[in-house]
Amino acid sequence: MDDRLVEEFPVNWEDDDYVTRREFFRFMTLASGGLAVGSGAIAAWTTLSRSERSLDEVKVAAADQIPVGGSIAFEYPRKGDLCLLIHKEPGHFVAYSRRCTHLSCPVDYQPELKRLYCHCHNGAFSLEDGRVLQGPPPRPLPRILIQLRQDGIYAVGIAKGEV
């Protein structure tokens, strides 16, 4: 080893990798405490009722943009969260998440059968309330709350207990 290096960096190389028990337990206590606090925060956040979280309102479409029996895809509440707005009968619209509750495959509207259908595993959902009609989906589709206004149709939330 270069003598100049030893002079500039006087490290006892034999003790360089040595960690005392006190240092080890201090590190383990801090790491465990950090994990416990993080886990507690996540648990508190997930138990908070989703209905209490505020969601932004999003204009989906103009009422005359969707013909009776037609549908339009939109993203709500965040980008990438696919939803489907359906014009069931004159002046009556419904909206649901477009992700199948089985394995998150996209759900399509079948107007001739008046249902929402998942092609991946032959799952089907009721157009009336999103309940499972057939296939492996374990839960109904989450219903998107919508409001009809003068200037269009707005997504304003997700039905309680359906997120």
Side-chain angles (χ1 to χ4, degrees):
M1 192 177 298
D2 187 12
D3 290 335
R4 191 168 146 199
L5 181 64
V6 172
E7 287 176 21
E8 290 180 14
F9 299 100
V11 175
N12 184 354
W13 294 105
E14 294 158 2
D15 292 339
D16 183 44
D17 294 328
Y18 181 73
V19 177
T20 65
R21 277 187 288 177
R22 181 172 287 161
E23 290 171 338
F24 175 75
F25 283 114
R26 183 181 305 142
F27 171 78
M28 292 304 291
T29 301
L30 288 173
S32 298
L35 288 172
V37 168
S39 297
I42 289 171
W45 183 77
T46 57
T47 57
L48 176 67
S49 173
R50 296 189 191 277
S51 64
E52 295 174 13
R53 296 182 190 165
S54 62
L55 298 174
D56 293 334
E57 295 182 355
V58 173
K59 183 176 181 180
V60 177
D64 60 356
Q65 186 179 352
I66 308 167
V68 175
S71 65
I72 189 169
F74 66 100
E75 296 178 343
Y76 186 79
R78 299 174 303 234
K79 287 258 187 235
D81 290 338
L82 302 176
C83 298
L84 205 55
L85 175 67
I86 301 156
H87 194 169
K88 283 178 46 172
E89 2 181 279
H92 189 230
F93 295 85
V94 292
Y96 295 99
S97 169
R98 197 168 175 206
R99 290 183 189 224
C100 179
T101 57
H102 178 227
L103 293 175
S104 296
C105 293
V107 172
D108 293 318
Y109 174 50
Q110 293 181 323
E112 66 281 357
L113 298 173
K114 296 187 179 187
R115 69 178 187 175
L116 298 154
Y117 184 72
C118 176
H119 298 277
C120 292
H121 300 104
N122 199 27
F125 301 89
S126 167
L127 188 59
E128 298 303 316
D129 55 10
R131 76 182 182 285
V132 177
L133 298 175
Q134 72 183 40
R139 296 177 309 283
L141 283 176
R143 187 170 48 91
I144 307 302
L145 302 175
I146 55 173
Q147 286 183 352
L148 277 68
R149 300 182 186 163
Q150 293 287 357
D151 62 336
I153 303 166
Y154 286 80
V156 297
I158 300 173
K160 185 177 180 178
E162 298 186 20
V163 178

